[in-house]
Amino acid sequence: MNAAVAYWPLLGVLWVVLGFALRLNPALVVVSAGLVTGIVAGKSLLAVLELFGEAFTRQRYLALVLLTLPVIGLLERHGLKEHAQAFITGLRGATVGRLLIAYLALRQIAAALGLTSLGGHPQTVRPLLAPMAEGAAEIIGELTDEQRQRLRAMCAGTDNVGLFFGEDIFIAFGAVLLMQGFFADQGITLEPLHIAIWGIPTALCAFCIHSLRILRFEQRLLRESIIATTTMPPSATPSP
Amino acid sequence: MITLQWIYWLAGGYFSWISWRGLRDTRNPRRFTTALFWGLLALAFLIGERLPALWMGVLAVALAAIAGFGGLRSGCYEQSGIEEKRAEATRLGSRLFWPALLIPLVTMVLAVVLKDLEFAGMRLLGAEQPTIVALGVACAVAVAAACWLTRQSLGSAVEQSRRLLDAIGWAALLPLLLAALGSVFAASGVGTAVADLVTRAIPVDNRLAVVLAYALGMAGFTMIMGNAFAAFPVMTAGIGLPLLVTLHGADAASMAAIGMLSGYCGTLMTPMAANFNIVPAALLELRDPNAVIRAQIGTALPLLACNVALMYFIIFR
């Protein structure tokens, strides 16, 4: 309700939204938005560049997940994906739905116990979960390229949902400490345990909603493969 | 003892090697800019903290320009055929899983169990970002195990990862650039402007309207910033604390918890959260960079509705 609030910096937000909507290259959109925002907020170009460089240096660690790639690259050259697919096809009763729901549950529980590093896109999704899901799906029938793409995206989404809606239940997790610290600054004392406990209802909802979506996804794959095998030519497959 | 700096040097060495191999890959049409990109990134890891912030800013802009104007291309890599891969898979069997599983397992053991271990008054892991340090150590252990298992050299492992790295390309850089953008946003007062707009737009006496504004505001502002942690202080100082806690007497602990999780629903729906949504799409070789977001929207929207309902019924007990 402060009349002195400056709205100019919102131009940067608009810039980002437009840039992503127009599908310009994200790296350029982000950097130019940073420069624009800083300049309309009344900073000099050099000051904005300094701010950028400082944050870039501080957040370098975000790129360290790339260190997992030599292991994955080498193992994939020696048949990791092929073996993951053969392994899951050999398990009795393995289906895409069961695999992904089991992964979701394990990821949520592990994250809730503070074991957030026990999974992740380069660590488990690319080398293990995605090939296993593809192997399990191919028990029903060969996947089309489009189905394979959707299945992989679902694997990545399942890892994210499991992580996000598990980690907040762990009391020593950064988010819980951030909330406690914020309220402490405002003179309100909160117990980390109370914050963590109120993460549980949402975590249960997340598990139910995402599991239902996995099952529906599996049903759709099944339906598509039945249509593909009963109708000729296969290109006549209707898409809902 | 093992500090974040060591892992930065490790990463710097790795990117230097990638840069050198890229430079010699004559089948890459843009080998000089590709090598320059990885070389600059190596520099950022090797001596980043010793360079003036202004230089690092220029370096970040240069990296974005190389990536943005198509300077990163794929070259030619030693690859094995599908027959050879099948034969290797049969020969090595489930032993192939072990090096891959070592990454999360070693990270977990180091970061959770051995975190505070001390030798002669020295901590095993540095106090700064112990999980990231543990991940770096785990990668080194796992790559050694993978080389031993497949009887290949470290050079061969780096060469195989070059194929993946060049395919990920600019997406690898995006999380760092977005983090930098986030701090420019924060320093320029974007958050206060958003919170101010929201509070002007809603009837503050209506509990449901305020709950909706806080939960949707958390989700929306997280989508802008790409990070719920950045949205939380802004939205809570602007809406949660003055309107929900002070005016309507809400319970702060449950409001904060559900508010943060509403922000996470936003994380599932935004390309700004590149490390969760865009990098995986590149890593899984998906044609549509937004494919992971599309797969998540169906979970995020109903879950956000659940959060609004939970917040409305829980925080005013």
Side-chain angles (χ1 to χ4, degrees), chain B residues 52-120:
Chain B
L54 178 63
W55 288 35
M56 280 297 281
V58 173
L59 188 144
V61 173
L63 284 172
I66 295 174
F69 291 115
L72 275 177
R73 289 287 170 83
S74 292
C76 183
Y77 318 96
E78 311 164 16
Q79 291 198 48
S80 50
I82 185 76
E83 291 308 317
E84 195 187 338
K85 282 185 185 161
R86 291 232 169 94
E88 284 290 278
T90 320
R91 185 175 71 86
L92 294 166
S94 289
R95 280 181 293 167
L96 275 169
F97 289 148
W98 280 106
L101 290 172
L102 269 179
I103 298 177
L105 288 179
V106 171
T107 309
M108 192 191 81
V109 168
L110 279 176
V112 179
V113 185
L114 303 180
K115 177 175 61 170
D116 296 317
L117 196 69
E118 289 188 3
F119 288 112

Side-chain angles (χ1 to χ4, degrees), chain A residues 61-208:
Chain A
Y61 68 87
L62 286 170
L64 289 177
V65 286
L66 296 178
L67 285 176
T68 55
L69 295 182
V71 182
I72 313 256
L74 192 58
L75 292 176
E76 283 187 355
R77 187 181 182 279
H78 290 269
L80 177 64
K81 278 188 174 175
E82 287 70 19
H83 181 67
Q85 286 173 356
F87 176 83
I88 202 82
T89 340
L91 285 184
R92 268 194 302 160
T95 63
V96 181
R98 286 181 192 163
L99 175 72
L100 288 182
I101 293 175
Y103 185 83
L104 177 66
L106 283 177
R107 186 84 166 114
Q108 268 194 306
I109 292 168
L113 297 175
L115 308 177
T116 48
S117 44
L118 205 60
H121 300 283
Q123 297 99 319
T124 51
V125 179
R126 157 120 194 184
L128 301 172
L129 183 66
M132 282 185 177
E134 287 175 33
E138 289 188 326
I139 298 174
I140 317 167
E142 193 78 20
L143 287 171
T144 65
D145 187 45
E146 193 267 331
Q147 286 173 327
R148 191 181 301 278
Q149 298 258 324
R150 267 193 286 135
L151 179 57
R152 287 183 183 173
M154 196 63 178
C155 291
T158 302
D159 186 80
N160 281 339
V161 172
L163 171 67
F164 292 0
F165 300 99
E167 62 186 5
D168 256 23
I169 302 173
F170 182 60
I171 52 167
F173 176 60
V176 175
L177 301 180
L178 175 94
M179 292 183 238
Q180 191 204 13
F182 172 85
F183 282 104
D185 282 346
Q186 313 285 333
I188 299 175
T189 318
L190 295 182
E191 281 296 314
L193 187 64
H194 284 153
I195 304 177
I197 278 178
W198 290 113
I200 294 176
T202 307
L204 293 176
C205 291
F207 180 78
C208 295

